[in-house]
Amino acid sequence: EALSGNILTFDHIAGYNNVKQEILESIVMPILSPNTFDEVSKLTRKFPSRNRPRAILFEGDPGVGKTTMAKVVACLCKIPMVYVPIESILSKYYGESSQNLAYVFDAAALFPSALIFLDEIDSLAGSREEGIVEATRKLLSVLLRKLDGFEGKPRTLTLGATNRKQDLDKALLSRFDKSIYFPLPDMRERAAILENYAFHLNEEHRITISSLLEGYSGRNMKDFCDFVERKWASAIIERGVD
């Protein structure tokens, strides 16, 4: 599934300054200026070779912004993003999942540039159901083979996202050149997230509320704000009816 829609920037994700800097240096710059990285390699290495990442892993709890950040990367780099939900491939296309995954990589190779986003790759951690184990094994085998052979083009990259890095197959982990960790937002970051969803509040009120939401992810906070807005709208309607 190729994703399209509104143009996203780093501003759409509050906080996470360290993560954004890592992504800028490890993903955005190498994609936008591949020749510069190649020239540096020629100047420093006895045997010049690729120093740009082929695959990068996003890790962190659910709802911390991994998928949104992948969309931001695609927008910043102005390349198409191919979204591949591994769990859906396993469940919806049982028996054909490995073949479909191979088609995704083959199709992406036809683009001059592309971002392949493998979401929920912890689905490859396996299942106790014998049939699913076999399907997972085949899918993992295809993925490893495609990651090995998918040099792609200078402006092509594979991103993976996982909630459970510790459960992933070691061979799969070794294919990712770098892992970027998305922590849960701290109090200041939660206050910044609230500014996106409740800008009518002043900073003092946002900090007070954020102090009560420790352990919340960005998605949890959006859900919280959605709930409050619905309650507010309902109260207005009820007063109007009365």
Side-chain angles (χ1 to χ4, degrees), residues 1-8 70-71 74-75 79-83:
E1 178 186 358
L3 296 184
S4 61
N6 296 331
I7 301 299
L8 299 178
K71 296 176 185 178
C75 289
I79 59 177
M81 171 175 154
V82 181
Y83 178 67

Side-chain angles (χ1 to χ4, degrees), residues 1-4 70 74-75 77-83 108 111-117 155 157:
E1 178 186 358
L3 296 184
S4 61
C75 289
C77 297
K78 298 179 180 179
I79 59 177
M81 171 175 154
V82 181
Y83 178 67
F111 287 96
S113 57
L115 178 69
I116 300 178
F117 182 57
R155 301 181 69 237
L157 183 76

Side-chain angles (χ1 to χ4, degrees), residues 114-239:
L115 178 69
I116 300 178
F117 182 57
L118 306 173
D119 201 5
E120 303 165 330
I121 63 170
D122 28 62
S123 302
L124 295 175
S127 167
R128 294 185 178 182
E129 299 179 39
E130 183 177 350
I132 300 298
V133 168
E134 180 62 18
T136 301
R137 186 188 64 78
K138 289 182 179 179
L139 189 64
L140 178 59
S141 176
V142 168
L143 179 56
L144 293 176
R145 189 166 66 250
K146 288 297 181 180
L147 287 174
D148 281 340
F150 194 65
E151 283 290 345
K153 300 177 178 66
R155 301 181 69 237
T156 297
L157 183 76
T158 300
L159 285 180
T162 179
N163 306 326
R164 309 192 317 270
K165 178 182 176 181
Q166 69 278 6
D167 293 339
L168 294 182
D169 182 89
K170 291 182 179 179
L172 176 59
L173 277 177
S174 70
R175 265 59 174 193
F176 289 96
D177 301 292
K178 181 179 179 63
S179 178
I180 297 178
Y181 177 65
F182 288 63
L184 287 169
D186 60 26
M187 189 177 71
R188 288 286 176 181
E189 288 173 328
R190 293 196 298 273
I193 292 171
L194 280 177
E195 186 175 7
N196 284 349
Y197 295 109
F199 69 90
H200 60 289
L201 299 176
N202 61 38
E203 184 178 5
E204 182 181 354
H205 288 156
R206 289 196 298 268
I207 290 176
T208 298
I209 294 173
S210 69
S211 67
L212 302 174
L213 300 177
E214 185 174 356
Y216 273 54
S217 68
R219 184 190 302 160
N220 293 150
M221 296 189 68
K222 179 184 182 301
D223 292 343
F224 170 75
C225 292
D226 287 346
F227 172 76
V228 174
E229 286 181 8
R230 288 194 295 269
K231 295 286 286 186
W232 190 5
S234 298
I236 293 172
I237 292 171
E238 288 174 357
R239 284 198 298 268

Side-chain angles (χ1 to χ4, degrees), residues 25-39 41 45 49-56 151-157 177-178:
E25 295 174 358
S26 302
I27 303 176
V28 177
M29 288 182 180
I31 289 178
L32 293 181
S33 304
N35 292 338
T36 301
F37 284 78
D38 290 342
E39 288 302 316
S41 174
R45 301 186 182 193
S49 58
R50 180 186 177 123
N51 59 7
R52 290 172 281 108
R54 289 186 309 174
I56 288 182
E151 283 290 345
K153 300 177 178 66
R155 301 181 69 237
T156 297
L157 183 76
D177 301 292
K178 181 179 179 63

